[in-house]
């Protein structure tokens, strides 16, 4: 199967596909890649920087989201020959039971691309997803995100992702108290600190830089890794980068 012989009826709800750029966050930060951003999310984080993918109160989702043939999505994602494609959202694993999802993963794999999936950690990967994805960047949400714990923490999904050795865990933090909450979270759910990245919340370079300075020492002391948001340092909050 290639992008050109995907079943034309296979579609997914797309917000945008863009690149070539670089992965800005987590263990692959700095790597050339393209992004596929799918619509819909089961959470409603106060700091979300892509609310146009899910928030019908603030956005006309008929304008921001388009049901798009998978062949077209794959062609756009592979333009420029990136070695890696990042599938993000929204919450992309909400789509994993659709034929279009399987067609998307299969097409990218056959094209030789690595696949990263960015997920909020509330969805258990299907066998197909677990097998075909190269890396899961799992970003569980802390209390400051705003949703109740029962909605943002799904232990069965977290355990399934942790059991998959291809998953790393990335926590958005503002200050020392958030790092301490991550320590309690990882202890409570037996997450390996060596697979945890602490990343500053912020959509401008000054905020990212200031918070990195505050987060670095406590993160390292707790046995965690540290991530910046490289795309914000390069391009601010410009869309499509
Ligand atoms: S999980 Fe991600 S996409 Fe969904 S609301 Fe939170 S930050 Fe936004």
């Amino acid at each position: 199967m290639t992008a050109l012989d995907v079943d034309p009826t296979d579609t997914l709800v797309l917000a945008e596909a863009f690149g070539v750029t670089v992965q800005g966050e987590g263990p692959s930060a700095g790597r050339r890649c393209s992004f596929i951003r799918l619509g819909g999310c089961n959470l409603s984080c106060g700091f979300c920087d892509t609310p146009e993918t899910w928030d019908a109160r603030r956005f006309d989702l008929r304008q921001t989201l388009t049901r798009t043939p998978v062949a077209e999505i794959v062609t756009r994602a592979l333009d420029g020959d990136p070695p890696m494609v990042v599938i993000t959202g929204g919450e992309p694993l909400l789509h994993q039971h659709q034929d279009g999802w399987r067609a998307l993963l299969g097409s990218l794999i056959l094209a030789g691309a690595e696949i990263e999936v960015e997920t909020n950690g509330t969805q258990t990967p299907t066998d197909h997803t677990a097998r075909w994805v190269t890396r899961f960047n799992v970003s569980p949400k802390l209390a400051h995100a705003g949703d109740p714990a029962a909605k943002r923490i799904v232990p069965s999904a977290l355990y399934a992702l942790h059991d998959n050795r291809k998953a790393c865990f990335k926590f958005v933090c503002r200050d020392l108290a958030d790092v301490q909450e991550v320590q309690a979270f990882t202890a409570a759910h037996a997450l390996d600190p060596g697979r945890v990245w602490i990343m500053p919340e912020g959509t401008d370079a000054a905020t990212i830089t200031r918070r990195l300075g505050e987060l670095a020492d406590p993160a390292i002391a707790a046995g965690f890794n540290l991530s910046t948001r490289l795309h914000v340092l390069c391009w601010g909050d410009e869309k499509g980068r």
Side-chain angles (χ1 to χ4, degrees):
M1 181 168 54
T2 69
L4 295 179
D5 58 20
V6 169
D7 185 330
T9 64
D10 285 337
T11 59
L12 286 167
V13 175
L14 181 73
E16 58 179 345
F18 61 89
V20 175
T21 180
V22 292
Q23 169 61 288
E25 306 171 354
S28 301
R31 288 197 63 197
R32 288 180 78 250
C33 66
S34 63
F35 279 78
I36 295 169
R37 187 182 305 287
L38 300 180
C41 190
N42 58 321
L43 299 184
S44 51
C45 306
F47 56 71
C48 183
D49 58 3
T50 55
E52 72 280 3
T53 64
W54 57 269
D55 191 349
R57 292 169 306 174
R58 286 188 284 166
F59 297 89
D60 182 353
L61 300 184
R62 292 168 303 183
Q63 299 294 322
T64 58
L65 304 177
T66 309
R67 184 162 282 282
T68 306
V70 168
E72 182 180 327
I73 298 172
V74 171
T75 298
R76 284 157 66 176
L78 296 179
D79 186 32
D81 202 22
M84 181 172 82
V85 176
V86 182
I87 306 174
T88 188
E91 172 46 59
L93 293 186
L94 295 177
H95 301 265
Q96 65 177 335
H97 300 285
Q98 296 186 41
D99 290 343
W101 174 266
R102 287 182 282 275
L104 176 63
L105 296 194
S107 296
L108 294 175
I109 289 288
L110 284 178
E114 296 175 45
I115 302 172
E116 286 199 351
V117 165
E118 300 191 323
T119 172
N120 60 28
T122 63
Q123 309 298 311
T124 298
T126 63
D127 290 346
H128 186 90
T129 302
R131 187 165 60 249
W132 284 97
V133 169
T134 313
R135 184 197 300 280
F136 294 92
N137 294 319
V138 186
S139 185
K141 302 308 180 224
L142 302 178
H144 71 86
D147 282 313
K151 189 174 178 190
R152 59 188 163 78
I153 303 172
V154 180
S156 58
L158 278 177
Y159 299 148
L161 286 158
H162 193 261
D163 285 348
N164 184 314
R165 301 302 299 174
K166 296 185 288 188
C168 68
F169 296 82
K170 182 180 68 186
F171 288 84
V172 176
C173 293
R174 302 160 304 175
D175 51 26
L176 172 61
D178 287 346
V179 177
Q180 292 169 334
E181 187 179 339
V182 176
Q183 285 182 277
F185 188 107
T186 55
H189 298 93
L191 302 184
D192 175 4
R195 292 164 62 192
V196 170
W197 269 253
I198 299 296
M199 187 182 79
E201 180 192 325
T203 54
D204 63 82
T207 302
I208 295 289
T209 303
R210 175 173 54 78
R211 286 184 166 156
L212 262 182
E214 296 171 13
L215 296 170
D217 285 336
I220 293 166
F224 300 144
N225 306 286
L226 192 66
S227 172
T228 186
R229 304 192 75 202
L230 197 54
H231 53 302
V232 174
L233 300 183
C234 293
W235 303 296
D237 65 351
E238 190 178 327
K239 291 292 181 189
R241 304 304 298 263

